[in-house]
Amino acid sequence: MNRRLIFTAALAFATTGIAFAAEAAAVKNIVIVHGALADGSGWRKATEILEKRGFKVTIVQEPITSLDDDVAATKRVLDLQDGPSLLVGHSYGGMVITEAGNDPNVAGLVYVAAFQPDKGESVLSLASSKPAGSMDIRETKDGKYLYLDPGVFDADFAADLPQAEADFMAKSQVFAAKQAFSAKITDPAWRTKPSWSIVATQDRSINPELELDMAKRAGSEVTEIKASHAVFASQAAKVADIIENAARKAGQ
């Protein structure tokens, strides 16, 4: 075999090795953190799509009793994963993944119509920085928790979902502790981890301009989708595509 053939064979072997290494490094674990005023069941469609594509999806059913509790719940799920994980957060879940994302096994962050805070910011400080929709938020009798009036849930949270689906989400919503909304971020993971952001352009829960501003500040790769705050359910296929793309890139 002459030198040129040897060089060509060596190059082909090296290229194959690099390709194999890139494939081996692909992130296969997707850990999803749902937002406040909803539970993880709305992620079923997106989960099924991702699982058919070979991903392992786990949904954190955090209590929303405090930011610390929710970060701890997320870390417990991360500890169960074999290999690196892509951490996905919707709405308030963006607060959670911003802190929990500092876990060394987190390869990247995906914000889905979510708060994407910097150090010292809270849901309350961010939400009050720009006007949002009506959001008829009410207090429980003990004054410690918040919920969205079921009578307006469809219009304010899930306007592009079938009525029956929006009604179920209203009935199964997770009440949020006030202290969870006032808690401040100490160490934003997006400063050291790659991030992606989905902006729901018809969001009435978080101002879409705020979503875009936070994403740009973090240097996230942004995708705008014409959808309500429940974009993860109403546009499950598009959201799954973005998560898959993020997982591929995070593993490179």
Side-chain angles (χ1 to χ4, degrees):
M1 185 179 292
N2 61 38
R3 290 183 178 181
R4 184 172 181 178
L5 288 176
I6 292 173
F7 175 78
T8 303
L11 181 61
F13 178 80
T15 304
T16 301
I18 292 171
F20 178 78
E23 179 65 24
V27 176
K28 293 298 184 181
N29 301 312
I30 310 294
V31 175
I32 297 170
V33 182
H34 67 75
L37 313 177
D39 69 359
S41 62
W43 281 89
R44 182 168 183 172
K45 292 178 184 177
T47 295
E48 291 174 346
I49 293 170
L50 289 166
E51 287 180 338
K52 287 180 180 177
R53 297 176 184 178
F55 292 96
K56 178 193 173 188
V57 182
T58 309
I59 299 171
V60 181
Q61 295 282 40
E62 75 272 22
I64 316 187
T65 46
S66 73
L67 180 59
D68 287 344
D69 288 347
D70 299 334
V71 170
T74 302
K75 287 185 175 180
R76 284 193 291 271
V77 172
L78 287 170
D79 287 343
L80 297 176
Q81 309 308 307
D82 182 13
S85 297
L86 184 73
L87 201 49
V88 180
H90 170 251
S91 193
Y92 164 77
M95 301 291 294
V96 180
I97 70 170
T98 297
E99 284 284 1
N102 289 300
D103 186 288
N105 288 324
V106 172
L109 310 164
V110 180
Y111 292 85
V112 181
F115 290 104
Q116 194 168 352
D118 202 347
K119 182 178 180 179
E121 294 179 338
S122 67
V123 166
L124 293 179
S125 67
L126 287 168
S128 61
S129 66
K130 288 184 184 291
S134 59
M135 287 297 288
D136 191 359
I137 300 290
R138 300 186 178 186
E139 292 184 357
T140 53
K141 287 185 178 181
D142 60 11
K144 295 180 179 180
Y145 285 81
L146 303 172
Y147 67 98
L148 180 57
D149 178 9
V152 298
F153 191 98
D154 56 344
D156 288 353
F157 194 99
D160 52 356
L161 282 178
Q163 189 66 51
E165 195 170 342
D167 288 345
F168 180 81
M169 292 184 74
K171 295 171 185 175
S172 61
Q173 65 176 295
V174 181
F175 292 10
K178 281 185 176 180
Q179 62 177 319
F181 282 6
S182 61
K184 297 179 180 180
I185 293 298
T186 59
D187 187 13
W190 51 258
R191 289 194 172 276
T192 57
K193 305 285 177 78
S195 60
W196 293 259
S197 181
I198 295 174
V199 174
T201 61
Q202 295 184 327
D203 201 329
R204 289 170 56 89
S205 298
I206 302 176
N207 189 313
E209 291 182 3
L210 176 59
E211 292 176 20
L212 186 58
D213 287 348
M214 292 185 291
K216 287 183 176 179
R217 176 180 65 180
S220 303
E221 184 175 315
V222 179
T223 303
E224 295 187 22
I225 298 178
K226 185 178 180 181
S228 72
H229 194 55
V231 57
F232 60 94
S234 66
Q235 298 288 338
K238 291 182 180 180
V239 171
D241 286 345
I242 294 164
I243 292 173
E244 179 181 13
N245 177 62
R248 303 296 183 199
K249 290 183 176 179
Q252 293 177 355

